[in-house]
Amino acid sequence: MSKLIDGKKIASTVLDRVAQDVKDLGQSGHEVALAVIVVGDDPASRVYVNHKKKDCAQVGIISLEYALPADTEQAALMALITQLNERKDINGILCQLPIPKHLDEKAVLSAIAPEKDVDAFHPVNVGHIMLGDCLLLPCTPAGIMEMLHSEEVEITGKHCVVIGRSNIVGKPMAMLMLKENATVTICHSKTVDLPAISRQADILIAAVGRAKFVTADMVKQGAVIIGVGMNRDENGKLCGDVDFAAVEPKASLITPVPGGVGPMTRAMLLQNTIIAAKMQNKIK
Ligand code: GUN
């Protein structure tokens, strides 16, 4: 059995499921549409938004891009979101981050209707994650759970160590693992003796955004290793938060970069759009 968790392959199964859902919804008279707002010209955002549009096209979801200039005023952005919230033909809305500094990100994310919030960044959806009863899950943690399930990784009773405490990945990841009965530890930049803690992990999830942060001495023999970040190493080569070459021999399962968590995050956005469309149309 391969140690490698093939995110691309698992994501393609999700995409097949989504494409079938889009077809079924279409046959019952419901087209599925995602609105993507992008403010300014951040090059990475452009790449991500193009991926999202391409992914939508692949599964038959209509994507509508709202590209606004970098000097867009808060009121104009809020007015657009209000308009999209009210449109019955739009099921999902996301505002690509980062947005320019003069804009109030918290207000923007809170303005998106929770039932259309396919990023699950709205405080109401964040609250549901805490309560363990959420329908829309943040895409990266949801994608990681899908991977672990697909690989039939035992979660109950296992020690899961999450490195990173971001609102987008670390915190919701910890909640999802807790919901599935893992014992969870969250580590971060102020953690004392992080290797001593990460070495206890049966499942280690690194979401730090630092190239090859997790080294072999930080890993227990036989652990499941999930790397979230995408970085460049000293030679400009794409690499993850985990020193793959050094850690792989100790791991029972490990995600590659690229082809690990990334494709799952992309797939889960489309799955969320389906969940949102079904919710809005009261379809199970
Ligand atoms: N920028 C980087 N990742 C994300 C994401 O998952 N959602 C949004 N809206 N912006 C991002």
Side-chain angles (χ1 to χ4, degrees):
M1 201 180 82
S2 169
K3 279 185 177 186
L4 218 58
I5 305 181
D6 188 345
K8 238 174 137 174
K9 193 166 148 204
I10 302 167
S12 96
T13 311
V14 175
L15 295 190
D16 288 347
R17 210 164 62 207
V18 167
Q20 187 58 49
D21 280 331
V22 173
K23 234 187 229 168
D24 293 346
L25 280 158
Q27 275 167 5
S28 53
H30 305 294
E31 283 192 315
V32 183
L34 171 67
V36 180
I37 305 169
V38 55
V39 189
D41 39 25
D42 179 71
S45 290
R46 179 41 46 209
V47 172
Y48 290 136
V49 168
N50 286 344
H51 281 159
K52 287 169 188 179
K53 285 163 65 181
K54 187 169 150 258
D55 293 342
C56 282
Q58 190 186 329
V59 296
I61 293 176
I62 298 162
S63 67
L64 302 155
E65 181 183 328
Y66 295 85
L68 307 181
D71 62 356
T72 296
E73 288 184 10
Q74 180 81 19
L77 179 53
M78 298 296 266
L80 171 61
I81 293 172
T82 302
Q83 207 185 87
L84 297 174
N85 283 341
E86 286 166 1
R87 275 180 60 172
K88 293 264 184 290
D89 62 327
I90 289 177
N91 306 105
I93 304 169
L94 72 86
C95 181
Q96 189 64 30
L97 301 177
I99 54 177
K101 295 235 175 322
H102 68 279
L103 295 169
D104 180 347
E105 181 182 300
K106 208 169 156 184
V108 168
L109 298 181
S110 300
I112 295 173
E115 66 276 14
K116 295 190 178 186
D117 171 36
V118 286
D119 270 327
F121 292 169
H122 190 288
V124 163
N125 287 323
V126 174
H128 282 299
I129 295 164
M130 281 292 290
L131 294 169
D133 65 357
C134 50
L135 289 171
L136 293 168
L137 292 170
C139 299
T140 298
I144 292 170
M145 295 312 292
E146 183 84 24
M147 275 178 148
L148 295 174
H149 294 153
S150 166
E151 295 288 337
E152 297 179 356
V153 172
E154 174 80 36
I155 297 173
T156 294
K158 300 295 177 190
H159 188 182
C160 173
V161 175
V162 180
I163 311 178
R165 54 174 157 177
S166 71
N167 289 334
I168 296 179
V169 184
K171 287 186 207 169
M173 190 72 245
M175 287 300 128
L176 298 187
M177 293 302 283
L178 187 61
K179 190 181 177 205
E180 297 207 12
N181 306 310
T183 300
V184 182
T185 305
I186 305 177
C187 297
H188 49 79
S189 55
K190 301 287 190 289
T191 296
V192 175
D193 200 357
L194 194 151
I197 299 168
S198 64
R199 271 196 295 271
Q200 297 172 30
D202 302 304
I203 302 168
L204 181 62
I205 302 176
V208 272
R210 280 173 62 184
K212 302 181 186 177
F213 180 83
V214 174
T215 47
D217 61 304
M218 294 168 68
V219 172
K220 177 164 81 176
Q221 185 71 38
V224 174
I225 310 290
I226 308 288
V228 176
M230 271 254 256
N231 320 285
R232 299 256 170 208
D233 69 9
E234 59 283 3
N235 304 313
K237 197 170 164 263
L238 216 54
C239 70
D241 291 346
V242 176
D243 183 349
F244 186 90
V247 170
E248 189 266 349
K250 290 181 88 174
S252 60
L253 283 169
I254 186 166
T255 54
V257 170
V261 174
M264 294 305 299
T265 299
R266 286 170 64 174
M268 298 323 278
L269 174 67
L270 305 181
Q271 180 163 296
N272 272 350
T273 308
I274 295 294
I275 292 169
K278 287 184 179 174
M279 263 197 300
Q280 289 150 30
N281 292 297
K282 301 189 169 41
I283 295 169
K284 283 232 164 140

